[in-house]
Every structure is written in structure tokens, then in C-alpha cells.
Amino acid sequence: MPNLMPRQPKNIVILISGSGSNMAAIVRAAQAQHWQQQFGAHVAAVISNRPDAAGLQLAQSLGVATQVLSHQAFATREAFDAALMALIDTHQPALVVLAGFMRILTPAFVQHYAGRLVNIHPSLLPAFPGLNTHQRALDAGCTEAGCTVHQVTAELDHGPMLAQAAVPVLPGDSADTLAARVQMQEHLLYPQAIRDWLRSAACR
Ligand code: NHR
Ligand code: GAR
């Protein structure tokens, strides 16, 4: 039996702000697909900038360590990002995953994790960067909506795309019904995109 375990462990740190359903989809995929044995990868920590994020309990229930760093404890965006970097780096991450993380990150942060920082955005980028994507897609009369996994760069929601999934916009859709349809795809797409990334990283 060859030992397929790479020498370098690939720690994954997931940043959240809210319910953490994408985080949970990634953790469940990592467990079910044995990312540890396959790629030497495991989710080392889930970090929230909001102490009340429901995703923290969800992560704990899945057996993942959680940490909170409230942005409200910092006077500037730069100070928060510097503290966040220091916390993340205690885990020596191969990959940092934004999963419903709602703070715009400074260029210094993005630079520090260049090539190992990814996000899932709830639109078919380059359409609708920024917030309120579902209402904006409805207002624009789009017949398709979806989600995009992309590398994070200093320009918001403009980094290189890694994967995309589309869903139809249906008659009578509200922002909520459309968001729910898109999120079902997010929960499939994001774990798959990370698995693809780990697989290619394993050969480097
Ligand atoms: N940071 C950089 N530099 N580049 C990206 O592409 C980023 C990023 C940080 C987060 C996720 C993103 C999304 O997928 C993301 C991508 C938050 C905002 C925002 O305006 C915008 C986009 C995204 C996340 N946040 C407000 C802020 O002042 C706060 C809003 C709130 O707390 O609810 O940071 O859409
Ligand atoms: C997801 O739909 C994600 O695409 C979106 O927020 C939701 C988070 O849900 N992200 C953004 O809007 C980033 N600005 P989750 O916390 O249950 O994963």
C-alpha cells in the first residue's frame, strides 16, 4: 500500500460571519471524502469576526475548533486585519477560505495570503460584485443567477475565477427564494472547488 500522505500538512482555516452553511458543507465533505488521508488536508479552525455567529456552534458540533476575533475591538480595518493575520498564521494555513465572511480585507492581508485565499460569491461574476446580489439580479431581469468561487485579490470580487454554478431565476422568485436555490449550489460547488485545489496542490 503506497503512502499517499504528502509530507506537508495542508491546514485549512475557514473565516465566517454568519450561519456557516458553506463552512459546514466543506467540513462535511472533508470528513466524508477523507481529505486528511487523500491530501493531508484538514480544517484546522473556523474563525468568526462576529461572536454571535451561528456558524460557531455548528463548527463545534462538527468537531472543529473555533475562535472569535471581533472587528469591533479594533479602531481601524488595518489593525483588525493585522490581528486576524496573526491568529490565522498560528495555524500555518495552506488555504484560507472565506465562507460568508462579511469584512472587506485590506491589500496587506490579501497580499500576505496571495494564491491561498478563496471566496464564494453569490452571483455569476463578473455580474454583481458586492452586496445584495440576489435582489440586484431580480431587478435587472436576469433569467439566470448563481455563484462563483474565486481567488481573493485586493479588488473586491474581481480575483481569478475557479468555479461557477448557475441556477434558473423562476417566475415569482423573491431574493430569499433565489438565495436558497443558489445556496444549494454553493454547498456543492465550494467543497468541490477546494477538493480540486487540494488535488492539484498535492502534485506540486
Ligand atoms: N476582500 C477583498 N480584498 N477582496 C475580496 O474579493 C473580498 C474581500 C472580503 C470579503 C467576500 C465578499 C462577497 O463575496 C469578500 C471578498 C463583504 C463586503 C462588504 O461590503 C463586500 C463583499 C464581500 C464581503 N462588507 C462591509 C465592510 O465594510 C460590511 C458588511 C457587513 O458587515 O455586513 O467590510 O460578496
Ligand atoms: C452565502 O450565500 C455566501 O455566498 C454569501 O453569504 C452567504 C453565507 O452563508 N456571501 C456573501 O454574500 C459574501 N459577501 P453561510 O454563512 O451560511 O455560508
Side-chain angles (χ1 to χ4, degrees):
M1 200 46 189
N3 180 6
L4 298 176
M5 178 86 100
R7 271 184 300 272
Q8 281 287 328
K10 293 193 179 61
N11 293 334
I12 301 171
V13 172
I14 306 182
L15 305 187
I16 65 167
S17 300
S19 57
S21 67
N22 278 289
M23 173 279 298
I26 294 162
V27 171
R28 289 189 178 112
Q31 293 171 350
Q33 299 167 4
H34 307 287
W35 289 3
Q36 177 71 260
Q37 291 93 321
Q38 276 234 303
F39 311 115
H42 92 292
V43 179
V46 168
I47 301 175
S48 173
N49 67 304
R50 293 191 179 275
D52 59 349
L56 289 167
Q57 284 212 342
L58 183 52
Q60 282 161 24
S61 75
L62 292 166
V64 180
T66 60
Q67 293 172 309
V68 172
L69 189 73
S70 174
H71 62 276
Q72 291 181 336
F74 297 86
T76 65
R77 220 173 259 276
E78 286 72 20
F80 170 67
D81 276 16
L84 184 57
M85 269 190 258
L87 180 59
I88 293 171
D89 283 348
T90 63
H91 301 288
Q92 299 190 291
L95 185 65
V96 178
V97 174
L98 308 185
F101 182 72
M102 297 309 290
R103 301 296 300 174
I104 295 174
L105 297 161
T106 56
F109 184 102
V110 171
Q111 180 61 41
H112 183 70
Y113 297 107
R116 51 184 176 134
L117 181 59
V118 296
N119 177 45
I120 190 159
H121 180 75
S123 79
L124 293 173
L125 291 173
F128 311 119
L131 303 179
N132 294 317
T133 52
H134 303 298
Q135 189 58 52
R136 287 158 65 203
L138 291 174
D139 292 346
C142 297
T143 58
E144 263 197 331
C147 50
T148 305
V149 177
H150 65 95
Q151 292 196 45
V152 174
T153 59
E155 194 182 354
L156 190 66
D157 296 331
H158 276 75
M161 290 188 226
L162 300 173
Q164 226 166 26
V167 301
V169 176
L170 298 179
D173 260 342
S174 64
D176 284 348
T177 60
L178 181 55
R181 193 174 308 120
V182 171
Q183 281 211 4
M184 286 188 55
Q185 294 305 313
E186 293 184 28
H187 299 161
L188 299 174
L189 187 72
Y190 212 0
Q192 190 183 314
I194 293 171
R195 187 166 185 260
D196 289 347
W197 186 91
L198 291 169
R199 186 185 281 138
S200 60
C203 316
R204 267 182 213 140

